Amino acid sequence: MSPMTKLLVFLLVLTCALEAQTPAAQVSETARQAYLYAYPLVLMEFTRAKDFPANDFAHLHVFPDEHSRRVVRPNADTLYSSAWLDLSREPVLLHVPDTKGRYYLMQLMDAWTETISVPGKRTTGTEEGWFAIVGPGWKGTLPARATRIDCPTNMAWLLGRTQTNTASDYAAVRAVQKGYTLMPLSLYPDGPRKTRTLPNVSLREPGLTPPQVVARLSPDEFFSKFAELLVKDPPHAADGPMVEKLNALGVRAGQPFEAQKLGPEGAKAFDQGVKSAAAILDQSVHRRGTPGPTGWSGGTQNVGRYGTNYAMRAVVARIGLGANPPEDAVYLACGQDASGAPLTGDKAYVLHFDKSQLPVVRAFWSVTMYDEDGYFIANPINRFAIGDRDDLKYNQDGSLDLYIQRESPGKEKERNWLPGPAGAFNLSLGCIGQARRFWAADGRRRR
């Protein structure tokens, strides 16, 4: 049997299996798909609700610490500059200063978490620049000096990152942040050339995290909020088949959703499908893909640009909202040691790099530690990440050993120490400014 014949037989069997589903099973499966599809849009809304008003930058002037719950899996390599844009009335202009060679990027995401554009050192250089971010359907004339960026939704998230070489670099980075400017087109060229004075973002926020808020929504609340958001942030052009499935369930833009309209059995099946999808997202927090022979996973997925891979988009939103595309950052994850046992604070570990296997980067690399929920862990030296900008001690042959353990490895090794907790933890190796072609999915560097 030829490969094509086998494929046709498989598709025929799959089609028959789907047709054999009971109506309740079909509702449950569609609800599961719908929840994963809708999750990033809803999560973005509840993340946005915790921030400053639209079209203003909010800067982090220090690294996040163990109290920060604003974003899952934050970094301790760059200082963030975050802005939520409202493009419904007119374009918003972004001005960036000359960073004099310092690595930075301005990741622009639409309301669905799709990365639209990334002005920064890799793409546009580090000289002064202007960019015009334009919402759907707008027509008009832009300043000649501004590079146009079209966004398919009226809400957008601009997440800037500026390289910060340990806490001693804070003052220099803050000076760069003052040059990041946003203004509506109607204020150009007389708008402010410097960011307005805003209070520094609080890192110690009480209450639930955005993922926890979304997880507590009932199916009716979740999809009613989703339907409300669809009015101003429409689906992508390729989402037509999914939109048809949503309409069949009664999920329509601008209309409240009531599962009971599906009937008692339908409502029960719908709830089961939602719970199944929510369980997938909960489990994703503790899973990092299939580990390769080194125990690490990841590195080659198309993070940031998902197309119709809605499940992947939802999982990335849950475990790392705002993750960079692979051309800007490659992330590898590890939750187990060489024997396959989970990483835990009652053991001492050594992360070894041969000289020829040190990360190849265009900006910097670091290893960051997180708890099981994806946040920083308190430790005696307030070190949440370690990397090539630290004062590391290399071995005589040029190799590198990092000591990952709860207790100090001794004064001679503390320069290479990443403190661990008492319980379980996981690691992320971030290679920033790195092209994905350098890394294979099993975590080994490609020659």
Side-chain angles (χ1 to χ4, degrees):
M1 185 181 295
S2 70
M4 181 58 69
T5 302
K6 290 181 179 179
L7 176 60
L8 292 173
V9 171
F10 169 76
L11 292 175
L12 178 61
V13 172
L14 178 60
T15 301
C16 292
L18 292 175
E19 290 176 349
Q21 283 186 333
T22 64
Q26 291 176 356
V27 169
S28 180
E29 173 59 19
T30 304
R32 184 188 69 83
Q33 295 176 19
Y35 188 90
L36 293 175
Y37 171 74
Y39 183 83
L41 185 65
V42 177
L43 181 63
M44 284 278 273
E45 174 64 15
F46 283 98
T47 302
R48 181 193 65 80
K50 295 168 69 65
D51 238 315
F52 285 102
N55 304 335
D56 268 321
F57 268 120
H59 301 299
L60 285 185
H61 293 324
V62 297
F63 290 139
D65 61 17
E66 69 271 20
H67 302 287
S68 176
R69 293 295 185 272
R70 296 180 62 81
V71 179
V72 178
R73 302 183 79 77
N75 78 67
D77 300 305
T78 65
L79 289 183
Y80 288 109
S81 296
S82 177
W84 296 92
L85 308 184
D86 180 359
L87 308 174
S88 59
R89 295 184 178 180
E90 59 181 320
V92 172
L93 299 184
L94 164 67
H95 170 261
V96 297
D98 186 344
T99 67
K100 303 185 187 311
R102 181 182 291 270
Y103 179 86
Y104 84 98
L105 60 81
M106 288 285 167
Q107 181 187 11
L108 180 69
M109 291 164 280
D110 71 6
W112 298 85
T113 73
E114 193 83 7
T115 297
I116 304 303
S117 182
V118 190
K121 184 174 182 177
R122 176 182 64 83
T123 57
T124 57
T126 61
E127 296 181 353
E128 179 186 15
W130 285 86
F131 304 89
I133 305 165
V134 181
W138 181 85
K139 295 180 180 180
T141 302
L142 296 171
R145 68 194 302 189
T147 300
R148 178 170 177 150
I149 301 173
D150 286 289
C151 181
T153 57
N154 285 304
M155 188 270 273
W157 186 18
L158 187 61
L159 186 56
R161 300 168 176 89
T162 307
Q163 180 173 343
T164 308
N165 302 318
T166 74
S168 63
D169 203 23
Y170 282 165
V173 175
R174 291 169 187 168
V176 173
Q177 289 177 321
K178 288 181 180 179
Y180 296 144
T181 305
L182 287 169
M183 70 178 75
L185 176 62
S186 57
L187 291 184
Y188 180 86
D190 300 322
R193 292 302 177 92
K194 294 183 179 180
T195 305
R196 284 193 281 162
T197 301
L198 294 172
N200 185 35
V201 176
S202 171
L203 295 176
R204 299 170 181 260
E205 295 193 21
L208 300 174
T209 65
Q212 289 172 333
V213 173
V214 175
R216 293 193 175 195
L217 296 176
S218 69
D220 283 6
E221 291 171 332
F222 178 91
F223 281 101
S224 291
K225 171 59 70 173
F226 173 66
E228 174 189 323
L229 296 172
L230 284 177
V231 175
K232 62 185 181 71
D233 299 314
H236 295 153
D239 296 345
M242 177 57 69
V243 171
E244 291 182 6
K245 293 182 179 181
L246 291 169
N247 290 339
L249 290 174
V251 180
R252 298 181 177 86
Q255 299 181 17
F257 175 76
E258 296 179 21
Q260 288 301 322
K261 291 183 177 180
L262 298 172
E265 290 299 318
K268 181 179 179 181
F270 189 90
D271 184 65
Q272 291 174 341
V274 169
K275 288 180 178 178
S276 174
I280 292 173
L281 297 179
D282 287 341
Q283 293 166 6
S284 72
V285 176
H286 307 293
R287 293 182 180 179
R288 299 286 177 261
T290 303
T294 61
W296 294 77
S297 63
T300 61
Q301 294 178 329
N302 293 323
V303 172
R305 297 186 180 93
Y306 308 100
T308 57
N309 191 341
Y310 307 130
M312 179 181 173
R313 185 176 69 184
V315 167
V316 173
R318 177 62 184 88
I319 67 175
L321 185 68
N324 280 307
E327 57 265 34
D328 286 308
V330 171
Y331 300 101
L332 303 176
C334 184
Q336 64 181 42
D337 62 21
S339 70
L343 299 177
T344 179
D346 60 3
K347 297 179 182 179
Y349 304 95
V350 176
L351 177 57
H352 176 78
F353 296 90
D354 288 340
K355 181 179 179 179
S356 63
Q357 294 296 317
L358 286 165
V360 177
V361 293
R362 295 189 177 99
F364 54 87
W365 65 266
S366 66
V367 177
T368 307
M369 178 177 292
Y370 299 103
D371 66 15
E372 291 185 291
D373 293 322
Y375 300 105
F376 288 158
I377 304 168
N379 66 79
I381 61 174
N382 293 319
R383 180 181 289 166
F384 308 108
I386 191 169
D388 61 353
R389 290 156 299 147
D390 292 298
D391 183 23
L392 301 174
K393 182 178 181 180
Y394 290 79
N395 301 320
Q396 290 185 350
D397 62 0
S399 64
L400 176 66
D401 290 317
L402 300 179
Y403 304 97
I404 301 170
Q405 56 192 72
R406 187 180 182 188
E407 303 295 334
S408 169
K411 287 292 184 182
E412 293 184 357
K413 298 179 178 179
E414 281 190 351
R415 287 160 55 181
N416 294 19
W417 176 34
L418 183 59
F425 66 90
N426 58 82
L427 301 172
S428 177
L429 171 60
C431 302
I432 311 303
Q434 172 66 291
R436 58 182 169 177
R437 65 185 177 85
F438 287 106
W439 291 88
D442 62 10
R444 293 180 297 185
R445 206 186 98 196
R446 287 177 172 158
R447 298 292 185 180

